[in-house]
Amino acid sequence: MPSYTAPTCDIQFVLHDVLNVSKVDIPGYEELEADFTSAVLEECGKLNAEVLAPLNVVGDTEGCVFENGVVRTPKGFKAAFDQVREGGWTGLDLPEEFGGQNMPYVMGIATLEMFAAANQSFAMYQGLTHGAASAILVHGSDQQKATYLPKMVSCEWTGTMNLTEPHCGTDLGLMRTKAEPQDDGSYRLTGQKIFISAGEHDLADNIIHLVLAKIPGGPDGIKGVSLFIVPKFLVRDDGTPGERNGVSCGNIEEKMGIHGNSTCVMNYDSATGWLLGEKHKGMRAMFTMMNEARLGVGMQGLAQAEAAYQNAVLYARDRLQGRAVTGDENPDGPADPIIVHPDVRRNLMDQKSFTEGARAFILWGAMLIDQSHRAGDDDAEGLISLLTPVIKGFLTDKGFECTIGAQQVYGGHGYIEEHGMSQFARDARIAMIYEGANGVQALDLVGRKLAQDGGKHVMAFFDMVKGFIKDNEGNTALKNGFLDPLKAASKDLQAAGMYFMQQGMKNPNAALSGSYDFMHLFGHVCLGLMWARMGKASMEALEARADDTAFHETKIATGRYYMARQLPATGMHLARIQSGEETVMALDAEAF
């Protein structure tokens, strides 16, 4: 069975050596001293390693069971969910007034990596609830907050998001679910939603569905969509679950992965719901949840890569096969461990350099969200809005790629279910699809985010990279291994942006044909920036004679690998972008 160890030392390094969280002028960050964050992370890591990780294979092999409208989660899930609830982990970064601990979002994201790596299917129950609670927190009335949030923060009640319909995925303007207004101010919802994660289960006393629907007589298309709170059980005046609402699970999907999470067909048959936010402004409210979910899904890509990588390293150290080309390294054994072979090292270094760079990237993204929400920084809001499709799309693409690489380390054993590598790959695959397929993320990045606020935020990113390079150009060790590759990659990104500016209006297909490559190009530059910052932090730690010398030397070597072996991919992506749309659009539809 695969094992999992929380990378608490690396998370601590990013938080304190790279992001300097306790010294940043964001309300609440002054409490993030190293001893405090270490205690939180260590406790969370222990819970995930000892309780949730062993249930990962159970969830995969047993899956959820649907009988007579009831969904039963895999053996051990309910007891573990109770343990997570009792520990207060479900409301770590939610407001104290509703039972949360009010820690910064960056701590919520740091612990989310552990939950997602240990057991992604399990983590989705609490993760979706967090997103639904956030939407109610931002857009709900005082009464709605008082009614739902205390039980959702504690996960006594869980939450969902209901968007997709059988005929309607990304283009939500086509949805048919309708909401008829009632005299008492409520609505009657009728329709069907599909692919609803955690839509029905046995882990909570109530499930609070957030449902997109159209009010008759409203505007056509997406402008006529509203968001509604539709509880599984109507809530009595005393706050307890009462009568069963007109919402039911019609079936659960048989999926490629995440078997331990119930993915449901949800039927709404004159279900009672209440408007959340403004009428016909449902997407605005839903995006509060979706943007948080996209950061969380990006984290799933990293998390599955991390879990798979850890096990691949253990296997590579133990598996004896062949001899090192430079001479026996295990002379007393029949063969050398496969980690001596250069191609296995390349594979593992690809994974290690990605996971550590991605961890820094996503924690920085979480800090930008805190800077926006807690400090009211509009520039931080604009920057994380720009980076969200990169975090979601690039990290899930590369995360899945890493799980395949980890599986490859096992050779034939990686294809055998008992070793568990298949599950990491299968579970990682969905992250490239849900919460907006990665092709849609790329279109959003190029079609909307680049030009947002007149291109202000992408220019701010370029200035950030230039500023970092200029401020550190006197550091010869950093310049040769980190700054020069980062400068070259950043120039590729700027050249791609210039191409889009020149082509976008007169020939939009030319820009959109390169959108996916641009998302990856941007992702590489972001990880390059993170690695340059981490390289600098580790060099300074070594100069200061830090106790953990081996950690920092390893960090610098891993960063140099990424800059030399991964970051040059920006040149390939730029060449593809600049080739335009001609070859992409050459065939008529009938020719495929």
Side-chain angles (χ1 to χ4, degrees):
M1 180 187 294
S3 62
Y4 173 69
T5 303
T8 52
C9 289
D10 202 52
I11 296 173
Q12 280 284 91
F13 167 73
V14 175
L15 290 177
H16 297 285
D17 293 47
V18 181
L19 299 180
N20 296 307
V21 289
S22 64
K23 301 174 184 176
V24 175
D25 188 20
I26 298 175
Y29 271 50
E30 68 278 358
E31 299 178 4
L32 300 182
E33 295 291 342
D35 288 346
F36 172 74
T37 59
S38 176
V40 173
L41 296 174
E42 290 293 338
E43 192 64 27
C44 187
K46 182 180 178 181
L47 171 68
N48 278 282
E50 296 179 2
V51 178
L52 300 187
L55 291 174
N56 198 34
V57 68
V58 176
D60 188 53
T61 53
E62 286 190 11
C64 293
V65 177
F66 177 69
E67 289 180 344
N68 301 318
V70 176
V71 174
R72 294 197 306 275
T73 52
K75 186 186 304 178
F77 269 44
K78 195 170 192 315
F81 202 65
D82 289 341
Q83 194 168 339
V84 170
R85 260 195 305 243
E86 290 163 6
W89 297 107
T90 61
L92 197 72
D93 58 333
L94 291 169
E96 286 181 291
E97 64 180 300
F98 300 113
Q101 299 184 49
N102 203 37
M103 290 187 200
Y105 184 61
V106 72
M107 289 301 294
I109 282 291
T111 57
L112 174 62
E113 179 191 337
M114 302 181 197
F115 282 106
N119 195 324
Q120 180 172 316
S121 295
F122 181 96
M124 289 171 66
Y125 292 101
Q126 68 203 65
L128 286 159
T129 306
H130 187 289
S134 295
I136 294 173
L137 184 65
V138 174
H139 301 283
S141 66
D142 289 342
Q143 182 181 0
Q144 288 172 337
K145 293 176 188 178
T147 300
Y148 300 107
L149 288 183
K151 296 293 181 66
M152 294 178 73
V153 168
S154 68
C155 269
E156 293 172 74
W157 299 352
T158 59
T160 70
M161 53 193 296
N162 285 236
L163 292 81
T164 306
E165 299 182 6
H167 63 285
C168 163
T170 301
D171 191 353
L172 292 171
L174 298 176
M175 72 174 55
R176 296 172 184 160
T177 301
K178 64 179 181 178
E180 298 276 0
Q182 304 299 300
D183 292 339
D184 63 357
S186 67
Y187 290 79
R188 294 286 185 179
L189 277 77
T190 302
Q192 186 180 76
K193 299 290 185 176
I194 62 170
F195 305 155
I196 308 307
S197 299
E200 176 65 31
H201 56 80
D202 58 0
L203 301 179
D205 296 333
N206 204 353
I207 302 174
I208 311 305
H209 302 287
L210 298 192
V211 186
L212 286 177
K214 288 185 175 181
I215 300 171
D220 292 334
I222 200 68
K223 293 181 179 179
V225 172
S226 301
L227 184 62
F228 300 87
I229 299 175
V230 186
K232 173 181 175 180
F233 293 102
L234 299 175
V235 181
R236 299 189 183 102
D237 291 340
D238 64 358
T240 60
E243 179 185 351
R244 179 69 187 253
N245 203 356
V247 53
S248 61
C249 175
N251 198 9
I252 58 174
E253 305 290 355
E254 293 187 19
K255 309 185 297 292
M256 175 181 176
I258 55 169
H259 295 152
N261 194 270
S262 54
T263 305
C264 301
V265 175
M266 300 302 299
N267 296 319
Y268 292 86
D269 184 13
S270 293
T272 301
W274 289 268
L275 184 68
L276 177 61
E278 298 179 52
K279 191 182 296 187
H280 310 314
K281 302 291 184 183
M283 290 309 298
R284 180 185 301 173
M286 184 59 85
F287 266 111
T288 299
M289 187 175 185
M290 288 176 67
N291 284 334
E292 179 181 306
R294 285 171 178 171
L295 204 69
V297 171
M299 179 61 84
Q300 290 178 350
L302 158 63
Q304 294 307 299
E306 171 67 27
Y309 163 73
Q310 287 187 15
N311 286 277
V313 169
L314 294 175
Y315 185 83
R317 288 173 178 161
D318 290 341
R319 172 70 169 176
L320 302 181
Q321 192 81 24
R323 291 291 187 184
V325 293
T326 53
D328 295 356
E329 294 200 17
N330 180 33
D332 295 332
D336 290 333
I338 63 173
I339 201 167
V340 306
H341 302 306
D343 190 61
V344 173
R345 290 288 187 96
R346 172 204 58 78
N347 193 342
L348 292 173
M349 285 296 285
D350 281 348
Q351 297 167 52
K352 181 176 175 63
S353 63
F354 166 75
T355 57
E356 293 179 17
R359 179 172 298 117
F361 182 25
I362 205 163
L363 288 172
W364 175 49
M367 192 171 81
L368 288 173
I369 290 177
D370 280 329
Q371 195 172 334
S372 167
H373 294 174
R374 288 175 170 252
D377 189 330
D378 291 339
D379 290 338
E381 173 66 28
L383 185 55
I384 190 58
S385 178
L386 171 71
L387 295 176
T388 294
V390 183
I391 290 172
K392 195 280 183 184
F394 180 70
L395 296 192
T396 58
D397 276 354
K398 300 301 286 187
F400 173 70
E401 186 179 302
C402 284
T403 64
I404 298 300
Q407 187 182 36
Q408 191 74 13
V409 170
Y410 279 71
H413 291 289
Y415 201 65
I416 304 301
E417 288 292 346
E418 71 177 274
H419 291 278
M421 302 309 290
S422 165
Q423 184 184 355
F424 295 128
R426 289 185 285 103
D427 285 357
R429 185 63 183 87
I430 185 57
M432 301 161 69
I433 299 172
Y434 60 14
E435 302 307 334
N438 287 355
V440 175
Q441 300 298 325
L443 294 177
D444 177 49
L445 175 64
V446 171
R448 293 178 61 246
K449 298 298 177 62
L450 283 185
Q452 194 171 10
D453 296 328
K456 171 184 176 181
H457 307 299
V458 72
M459 294 307 297
F461 178 82
F462 289 143
D463 289 343
M464 183 185 303
V465 175
K466 290 176 186 176
F468 180 85
I469 293 171
K470 184 177 180 180
D471 291 345
N472 295 281
E473 58 189 359
N475 185 333
T476 304
L478 192 67
K479 183 178 186 302
N480 294 337
F482 292 89
L483 300 185
D484 288 346
L486 177 60
K487 181 185 289 187
S490 180
K491 286 182 178 179
D492 287 342
L493 184 63
Q494 292 177 68
M498 184 63 67
Y499 177 82
F500 291 149
M501 288 179 62
Q502 294 170 345
Q503 298 290 327
M505 294 299 292
K506 63 182 180 181
N507 188 4
N509 276 343
L512 297 183
S513 293
S515 61
Y516 210 94
D517 280 285
F518 185 80
M519 181 177 72
H520 275 247
L521 200 168
F522 207 153
H524 277 299
V525 173
C526 288
L527 261 64
L529 176 61
M530 293 300 102
W531 270 116
R533 294 175 68 179
M534 288 191 287
K536 178 185 177 183
S538 280
M539 288 177 187
E540 290 175 346
L542 291 174
E543 289 173 5
R545 301 183 183 278
D547 294 335
D548 45 356
T549 299
F551 174 90
H552 293 292
E553 289 176 344
T554 300
K555 183 66 68 175
I556 292 167
T558 305
R560 284 181 173 146
Y561 178 90
Y562 190 88
M563 305 306 270
R565 301 278 301 209
Q566 293 292 323
L567 197 55
T570 60
M572 174 194 70
H573 290 301
L574 176 61
R576 289 175 174 175
I577 290 166
Q578 292 177 333
S579 72
E581 86 292 356
E582 185 176 347
T583 56
V584 174
M585 307 299 291
L587 297 181
D588 293 332
E590 294 77 15
F592 283 91

